[in-house]
Amino acid sequence: MTASRDETRIESVLEADSAVRLDSFVAERASISRTQAATLIATGHVTVDGKREKAAYKPEAGQRVVVVIPPPVGRDVVGEAIDLDVVFEDDDLLVVDKPAGMVVHPAPGNWSGTLVNALIGRGGELAAGGGDERPGLIHRLDKDTSGLLLVAKNDRAHRILSAALAERRVVRRYAVVCWGHLEGESLTVDRPLARDPNDRQRMAVVPRGKPARTTFTRLARFDSGDLLRAHLHTGRTHQIRVHLNAVGHPVLGDDTYGGGGGRRLVGLQPRRHFLHAAWLRFRHPSTGTAVDLRAPLPADLHAALAKIAGDPSLATDPDPLTTFAFYDVKDDE
């Protein structure tokens, strides 16, 4: 069985007998649901030592499992007239301050109203890198996370910026409020992440997951929570949210990872969590000059911060992140 250039091929050799069913094994290695894994097995996209097996088969030590995931059935992505807050733009790239509630790219269940639909609707070029459904995207933000997102307009810029991101030369810092209090003024969480084996819609700390590292710095301590600056050293799905939940201090308003209770006390809307990509730094792909972009807290988080701080004057502060020294930082924080 060979994979076309549009397919994803995953190979794995078992180091020891695990008594795990083939469908469970494939689901874990391919980060898909067990139902999806069973479908791949039934349709001949999974082999064990070159042979097809049933979903209930239990691979043994030394056997090679090959999974070929066919490309998803595509559909045309159309441009839409959706206003965007573009904070920087030139011939090579643009940076958008994405609102909470906007999905970044089309996918089943969200084929319209996404950031990509809006980008296409603006006209102009976008890099082909990322594929038809993710043109130009260098990184992503969760639907209910707001803030700065980097987009390349041409393939050269996409290659350079993607490489810089992989080499951790694109610096991303987030403003976040967590429930409870960190034990110290700063904390680095270095725990691997993967799909939650019990819930494929969630991520979790998993020993065999991908390396993930986040540094949190406390900027203010309130009665019920902390205002933090989060620095992503890696960029795994839901990384900040999972890491804070793992240390017992979930993001305020985060239903998925245990921080949803009490959202109404600070005036946040359903599904909104207090996480904002406020600061983005990188070298321009053509000129090499430093680009430093900042996005103030959106109105809902601004108001929520004043409430959790118990300080009404913060509601009229033109830039509470500057007030709390969010941008006063060493390069390694």
Side-chain angles (χ1 to χ4, degrees), residues 8 10 22-41 46 67-70 195-197 199-201:
T8 301
I10 300 171
L22 182 59
D23 54 358
S24 296
F25 178 82
V26 170
E28 190 274 330
R29 292 302 173 90
S31 295
I32 59 178
S33 71
R34 187 168 167 180
T35 299
Q36 291 171 315
T39 299
L40 290 175
I41 294 168
V46 178
V67 182
V68 175
I69 303 176
R195 291 286 174 187
D196 188 328
D199 183 349
R200 308 303 295 180
Q201 301 301 312

Side-chain angles (χ1 to χ4, degrees), residues 193-273:
L193 302 181
R195 291 286 174 187
D196 188 328
N198 299 314
D199 183 349
R200 308 303 295 180
Q201 301 301 312
R202 291 164 45 102
M203 304 298 288
V205 173
V206 177
R208 296 174 64 182
K210 295 180 179 180
R213 184 168 181 255
T214 316
T215 296
F216 299 99
T217 302
R218 178 161 52 216
L219 305 176
R221 179 185 176 112
F222 308 127
D223 287 344
S224 56
D226 288 343
L227 172 63
L228 308 174
R229 178 178 55 237
H231 178 194
L232 286 178
H233 299 280
T234 53
R236 310 303 176 201
T237 301
H238 298 179
Q239 178 172 319
I240 292 172
R241 299 162 62 192
V242 177
H243 273 172
L244 280 174
N245 184 48
V247 297
H249 301 295
V251 175
L252 170 65
D254 190 347
D255 292 315
T256 303
Y257 297 106
R263 180 194 293 106
R264 287 184 298 177
L265 298 176
V266 294
L268 290 180
Q269 295 297 311
R271 293 180 296 278
R272 176 60 154 139
H273 48 239

Side-chain angles (χ1 to χ4, degrees), residues 66-144:
V66 177
V67 182
V68 175
I69 303 176
V73 178
R75 57 181 289 178
D76 292 336
V77 180
V78 299
E80 299 177 38
I82 302 172
D83 289 336
L84 292 175
D85 182 3
V86 177
V87 300
F88 179 91
E89 183 172 15
D90 63 11
D91 291 340
D92 291 307
L93 61 95
L94 64 110
V95 176
V96 175
D97 187 356
K98 185 190 84 70
M102 174 180 275
V103 175
V104 170
H105 60 80
N110 289 290
W111 290 109
S112 65
T114 73
L115 178 72
V116 166
N117 294 112
L119 290 170
I120 295 173
R122 296 177 75 240
E125 293 188 5
L126 293 172
D132 292 340
E133 294 168 5
R134 305 179 185 182
L137 297 182
I138 303 301
H139 60 109
R140 290 176 286 172
L141 294 175
D142 299 338
K143 175 182 178 181
D144 295 305

